[in-house]
């Protein structure tokens, strides 16, 4: 007989908790007792966070098949669950006391009762925050699990003992020396001291995982992290730790369940904005495209949230989330996560498709927790650019035609786009098929070095400027009015010094300096701070400046973007999907210019851009003075 849920009372704090009956053998049937409880009575229980599909890519495809189920007994009646949860229950009954109460969403929520599902998901943040321990299930063990957890424990102790500036010294790390700084957790998220991760029968505290992750991330990012079995990092560390925790713990499939265990520990004002949480969940997978949004509610502030309603389609939910974010935050920040070419759900071009797992670093949203530095501007810490000055969005949403109607100043059209772009990761939605081996980790280091070599070539030879010079050489000298082209030599005789003699009018600096500042979006960043820069061409040639700013900043800025010049002569960074004749516009209330493509009935939103010399309201001052007219345009 199939289990039938008893209806929960109307009390908002009512939920279900379960006990897993102990078993002598692993193959014994799983039996569960389900109870109704009120959270207001403060019951002591633990919460399980897990992915509904397979937690690791080496597991069989049937783990991802919604039709492939395993049977357990709930209150003596048959109940179907998916493979990963079944494996978790098998492990939990052997590693935790049988008296332990658990909250597990797939069992404790009647998934077929939409009103109940809405209430319980809306209350999920309280449920996880009230638990004694939140256990993140990473999946069943394999041949590397024991060694990996042993290494995790030893390395986390090393991190705790030697946090700060130190050299890596360990029996498994030989002749490798590097400065490592243990970063604190992002300031907008407080880690639960009771969070733990479990793989099979192996359990580790979340704090151990996080501190060791910082060390491993440093090893992979450091210029010296080219791994050799005989020298820098020995085989046990590579084969046991790096592959395991980078693909088992930090895989996109487990990121969302890890975040459920990282709950805000303070007031609502301390919680991050919804877009911040969704950004972190961007690479995670969800069997239901709506789950990613609703699951973020327990972590984010309330003002941007919509009521949990599973009767809404994903298209409607994503559209309403974008609309509300624009209205509540009085900004277009959420549009930074629109991907024109990789949308999965049928939404307007201005709506973020959160089911799309691809991503590129936003120009507008640097890593939270870095200190903002600026001696030139009195900017708000959360806002680097002010392309539309201090204006607020004046926007109207026409839901019938799916249009976003805004007021904008059209700057010009894209007249040149570099044909050769940096070999960055770019936007990719393809999941890695398996754990990386030694060769793949070294390949990562090789790719990083190739990017650095290309950046140095871009800085030293300015190939994109030369490409533009060839492109525009047949045009009259009045073309590209923002660039003083008078007195240029023949393109066959031009050298690097020529670009220092040409003036970029919007900022009254050399074209070479403007070009280099454009490629970093005029923002410097390192491991501790970020800020706008007024660097000169001489600074850009300085070896320290090249290493600390360009190599660390330019690669990230060029990811998913291309260098472009408008018909006015504005140097720009535009989305890689941009085409010639796309318009660049400054929209009222936007921090960054938009790239728009004319289409029947309006424009398509391609993405946001950096345009050198207009990012601090220079053009908007002309709008306010009546020198530049605004147009009402529809983005569809």
């Amino acid at each position: 007989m199939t289990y039938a849920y008893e209806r929960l009372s109307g009390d908002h704090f009512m939920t279900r908790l379960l006990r897993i009956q102990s078993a002598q053998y692993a193959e014994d049937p799983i039996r569960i007792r389900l109870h109704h409880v009120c959270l207001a009575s403060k019951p002591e229980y633990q919460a399980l966070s897990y992915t509904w599909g397979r937690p690791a890519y080496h597991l069989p495809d049937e783990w991802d098949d919604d039709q492939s189920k395993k049977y357990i007994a709930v209150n003596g009646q048959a109940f179907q669950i998916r493979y990963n949860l079944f494996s978790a229950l098998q492990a939990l009954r052997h590693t935790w006391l049988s008296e332990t109460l658990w909250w597990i969403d797939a069992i404790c929520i009647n998934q077929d009762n939409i009103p109940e599902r809405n209430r319980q998901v809306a209350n999920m943040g309280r449920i996880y925050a009230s638990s004694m321990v939140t256990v993140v299930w990473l999946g069943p063990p394999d041949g590397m699990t024991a060694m990996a957890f042993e290494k995790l424990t030893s390395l986390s102790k090393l991190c705790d003992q030697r946090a700060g500036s130190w050299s890596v010294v360990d029996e498994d790390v030989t002749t490798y020396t590097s400065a490592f700084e243990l970063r604190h957790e992002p300031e907008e998220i407080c880690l639960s001291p009771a969070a733990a991760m479990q793989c099979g029968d192996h359990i580790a505290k979340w704090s151990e995982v996080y501190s060791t992750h910082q060390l491993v991330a440093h090893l992979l990012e450091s210029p010296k992290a080219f791994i050799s079995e005989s020298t820098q990092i020995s085989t046990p560390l590579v084969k046991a730790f790096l592959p395991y925790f980078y693909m088992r713990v930090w895989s996109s499939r487990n990121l969302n369940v890890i975040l459920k265990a990282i709950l805000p520990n303070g007031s609502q004002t301390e919680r991050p904005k919804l877009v911040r949480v969704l950004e972190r969940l961007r690479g995670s997978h969800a069997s239901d495209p709506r789950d990613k949004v609703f699951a973020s509610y327990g972590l984010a502030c309330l003002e941007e949230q919509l009521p949990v309603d599973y009767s809404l389609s994903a298209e409607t939910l994503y559209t309403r989330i974008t609309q509300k974010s624009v209205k509540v935050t009085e900004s277009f920040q959420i549009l930074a996560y629109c991907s024109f070419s990789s949308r999965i759900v049928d939404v307007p071009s201005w709506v973020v498709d959160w089911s799309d797992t691809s991503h590129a670093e936003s120009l507008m949203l640097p890593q939270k927790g870095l200190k903002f530095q600026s001696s030139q501007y009195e900017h708000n810490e959360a806002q680097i650019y002010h392309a539309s000055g201090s204006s607020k969005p004046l926007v109207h949403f026409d839901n019938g035609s799916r249009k976003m109607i805004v007021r904008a100043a059209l700057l010009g059209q894209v007249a040149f786009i570099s044909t050769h772009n940096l070999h960055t990761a770019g936007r990719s939605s393809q999941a890695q098929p398996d754990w990386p081996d030694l060769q793949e980790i070294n390949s990562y280091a090789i790719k990083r070095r190739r990017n650095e070599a290309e950046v140095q070539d871009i800085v030293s030879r300015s190939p994109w400027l030369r490409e533009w010079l060839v492109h525009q050489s047949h045009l009259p000298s009045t073309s590209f009015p923002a660039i003083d082209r008078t007195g240029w030599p023949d393109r066959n005789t031009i050298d690097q010094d020529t670009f220092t003699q040409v003036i970029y009018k919007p900022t009254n600096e050399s074209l070479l300096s403007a070009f280099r500042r454009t490629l970093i979006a005029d923002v410097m960043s390192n491991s501790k701070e970020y800020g706008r820069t007024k660097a000169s061409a001489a600074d850009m040639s300085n070896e320290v400046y090249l290493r600390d700013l360009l190599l660390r900043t330019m690669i990230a800025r060029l990811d998913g973007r291309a260098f472009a010049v408008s018909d006015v002569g504005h140097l720009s960074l535009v989305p890689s999907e941009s085409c010639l004749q796309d318009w660049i516009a400054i929209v009222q209330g936007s921090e960054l210019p938009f790239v728009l493509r004319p289409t029947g009935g309006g424009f398509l939103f391609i993405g946001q851009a950096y345009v050198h010399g207009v990012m601090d309201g220079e053009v908007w001052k002309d709008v306010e003075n009546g020198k530049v007219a605004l147009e009402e345009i529809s983005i569809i």
Side-chain angles (χ1 to χ4, degrees):
M1 185 175 180
T2 303
Y3 176 75
Y5 282 96
E6 294 182 15
R7 185 173 182 177
L8 289 172
S9 71
D11 191 322
H12 180 69
F13 297 105
M14 288 299 296
T15 188
R16 300 181 183 90
L17 297 178
L18 63 86
R19 282 192 172 93
I20 310 170
Q21 295 183 11
S22 60
Q24 185 175 1
Y25 303 104
E27 60 272 15
D28 287 348
I30 294 176
R31 295 184 174 87
I32 283 174
R33 300 299 300 179
L34 201 56
H35 310 274
H36 290 201
V37 298
C38 180
L39 292 178
S41 65
K42 298 182 179 181
E44 294 186 356
Y45 65 95
Q46 299 179 173
L48 183 70
S49 186
Y50 64 101
T51 177
W52 283 39
R54 55 179 174 173
Y57 293 107
H58 73 287
L59 293 170
D61 291 342
E62 61 187 5
W63 285 54
D64 278 337
D65 186 358
D66 189 47
Q67 302 304 315
S68 296
K69 301 288 183 68
K70 302 282 285 185
Y71 277 97
I72 63 172
V74 175
N75 292 355
Q77 297 175 331
F79 190 91
Q80 286 185 315
I81 60 175
R82 298 181 67 160
Y83 275 73
N84 190 37
L85 178 55
F86 185 85
S87 69
L89 294 176
Q90 284 184 312
L92 294 179
R93 67 179 178 179
H94 289 293
T95 52
W96 300 90
L97 296 176
S98 60
E99 293 82 9
T100 303
L101 283 170
W102 292 90
W103 186 87
I104 302 174
D105 59 353
I107 302 175
C108 295
I109 300 176
N110 184 353
Q111 303 292 329
D112 296 325
N113 185 324
I114 299 301
E116 176 186 314
R117 188 180 179 188
N118 291 341
R119 290 194 303 270
Q120 291 291 298
V121 172
N123 207 26
M124 195 174 291
R126 177 185 295 273
I127 292 172
Y128 278 104
S130 301
S131 65
M132 302 296 292
V133 176
T134 298
V135 177
V136 177
W137 172 249
L138 300 179
D142 53 47
M144 294 191 294
T145 300
M147 187 182 299
F149 270 78
E150 180 182 354
K151 177 53 61 180
L152 171 69
T153 301
S154 62
L155 286 181
S156 65
K157 290 180 180 178
L158 195 61
C159 292
D160 293 338
Q161 295 169 358
R162 309 181 67 170
S165 180
W166 62 306
S167 296
V168 179
V169 178
D170 187 54
E171 65 275 9
D172 287 336
V173 185
T174 59
T175 70
Y176 177 82
T177 302
S178 179
F180 167 65
E181 182 173 343
L182 179 61
R183 298 181 187 176
H184 296 290
E185 297 84 348
E187 63 185 9
E188 78 272 29
I189 292 180
C190 300
L191 300 181
S192 169
M197 291 193 176
Q198 181 167 347
C199 183
D201 293 340
H202 302 274
I203 302 173
K205 296 179 180 178
W206 166 253
S207 57
E208 294 177 339
V209 175
Y210 184 84
S211 60
T212 309
H213 165 258
Q214 295 302 304
L215 171 58
V216 175
H218 173 75
L219 294 180
L220 288 179
E221 294 295 337
S222 170
K224 294 184 178 181
F226 188 85
I227 301 170
S228 167
E229 291 194 18
S230 60
T231 56
Q232 293 176 339
I233 301 180
S234 73
T235 302
L237 179 61
V238 173
K239 291 186 175 180
F241 188 80
L242 295 182
Y244 193 88
F245 280 96
Y246 258 80
M247 291 308 295
R248 181 64 82 96
V249 177
W250 298 107
S251 71
S252 60
R253 289 186 168 238
N254 280 322
L255 177 60
N256 60 334
V257 300
I258 291 172
L259 285 176
K260 288 181 182 178
I262 307 173
L263 294 170
N265 217 6
S267 66
Q268 281 292 329
T269 58
E270 296 175 331
R271 293 193 177 197
K273 292 182 178 180
L274 179 62
V275 68
R276 286 285 185 181
V277 180
L278 288 172
E279 175 192 14
R280 290 174 176 271
L281 289 171
R282 187 67 184 266
S284 62
H285 296 261
S287 55
D288 186 324
R290 299 166 295 182
D291 286 343
K292 196 179 297 186
V293 172
F294 292 143
S296 69
Y297 283 7
L299 296 166
C301 61
L302 295 176
E303 61 178 350
E304 295 178 67
Q305 298 180 17
L306 296 169
V308 176
D309 186 357
Y310 277 94
S311 67
L312 297 177
S313 66
E315 294 86 347
T316 300
L317 174 63
Y318 291 167
T319 300
R320 292 184 181 179
I321 283 290
T322 302
Q323 290 174 337
K324 185 161 188 179
S325 178
V326 171
K327 292 179 179 178
V328 171
T329 64
E330 295 186 310
S331 75
F332 294 100
Q333 285 192 1
I334 194 170
L335 269 64
Y337 301 102
C338 288
S339 176
F340 179 76
S341 62
S342 57
R343 284 173 293 171
I344 300 172
V345 175
D346 180 23
V347 292
S349 63
W350 51 269
V351 171
V352 185
D353 178 4
W354 295 109
S355 66
D356 171 24
T357 57
S358 65
H359 64 281
E361 181 182 277
S362 167
L363 284 170
M364 184 172 49
L365 301 173
Q367 183 177 349
K368 186 68 175 175
L370 303 185
K371 186 178 180 181
F372 181 75
Q373 298 287 340
S374 177
S375 58
Q376 300 289 335
Y377 307 96
E378 294 298 327
H379 288 323
N380 182 288
E381 181 176 351
Q383 188 171 337
I384 304 177
Y385 306 113
H386 293 73
S388 65
S390 58
S391 66
K392 299 296 183 183
L394 185 61
V395 58
H396 170 66
F397 296 103
D398 186 340
N399 291 326
S401 59
R402 307 205 314 174
K403 293 181 179 179
M404 179 175 69
I405 303 170
V406 298
R407 301 175 75 227
L410 299 178
L411 291 183
Q413 292 179 278
V414 176
F416 165 80
I417 300 178
S418 57
T419 58
H420 173 74
N421 295 323
L422 196 67
H423 291 94
T424 56
R427 297 181 183 269
S428 174
S429 60
Q430 297 301 316
Q432 297 193 40
D434 208 341
W435 299 342
D437 55 19
L438 182 62
Q439 181 179 359
E440 290 173 300
I441 295 174
N442 281 337
S443 176
Y444 175 89
I446 292 172
K447 181 177 180 180
R448 185 184 65 245
R449 291 182 177 182
R450 181 181 62 183
N451 286 342
E452 292 175 354
E454 290 191 52
V455 166
Q456 294 191 52
D457 180 69
I458 292 168
V459 172
S460 61
R461 295 196 318 106
S462 307
W464 294 339
L465 276 183
R466 295 174 185 273
E467 184 183 2
W468 168 76
L469 176 62
V470 173
H471 168 79
Q472 59 80 51
S473 60
H474 65 284
L475 299 177
S477 59
T478 54
S479 303
F480 304 102
I483 301 174
D484 185 355
R485 298 169 61 241
T486 59
W488 277 36
D490 182 87
R491 68 173 184 261
N492 295 322
T493 61
I494 200 165
D495 56 26
Q496 190 79 335
D497 290 339
T498 304
F499 297 125
T500 65
Q501 299 167 8
V502 177
I503 299 301
Y504 183 71
K505 295 179 182 179
T507 54
N508 195 31
E509 64 184 319
S510 75
L511 184 61
L512 181 62
S513 175
F515 170 67
R516 289 172 173 172
R517 287 173 59 193
T518 298
L519 297 187
I520 59 171
D522 200 32
V523 172
M524 56 155 282
S525 61
N526 54 39
S527 61
K528 295 182 179 180
E529 62 186 24
Y530 67 93
R532 296 291 295 279
T533 176
K534 283 288 186 180
S536 65
D539 292 328
M540 291 288 187
S541 301
N542 181 275
E543 181 180 352
V544 175
Y545 199 85
L546 176 67
R547 182 183 68 246
D548 292 344
L549 193 151
L550 296 183
L551 296 187
R552 295 185 181 186
T553 306
M554 191 183 297
I555 292 175
R557 299 296 180 268
L558 293 175
D559 188 8
R561 301 182 182 91
F563 172 71
V565 183
S566 74
D567 55 3
V568 179
H570 284 128
L571 306 187
S572 311
L573 281 184
V574 297
S576 57
E577 299 96 338
S578 302
C579 297
L580 297 179
Q581 305 305 312
D582 283 348
W583 281 92
I584 299 176
I586 296 182
V587 174
Q588 180 174 336
S590 178
E591 302 172 31
L592 288 162
F594 288 8
V595 177
L596 303 172
R597 183 166 301 162
T599 188
F603 294 87
L604 295 174
F605 177 74
I606 307 302
Q608 295 174 322
Y610 172 86
V611 182
H612 195 58
V614 308
M615 304 305 293
D616 295 297
E618 294 88 346
V619 171
W620 205 255
K621 292 177 183 177
D622 292 336
V623 171
E624 295 173 337
N625 294 332
K627 297 179 180 180
V628 174
L630 291 181
E631 300 181 33
E632 184 174 271
I633 63 174
S634 297
I635 305 177
I636 59 179

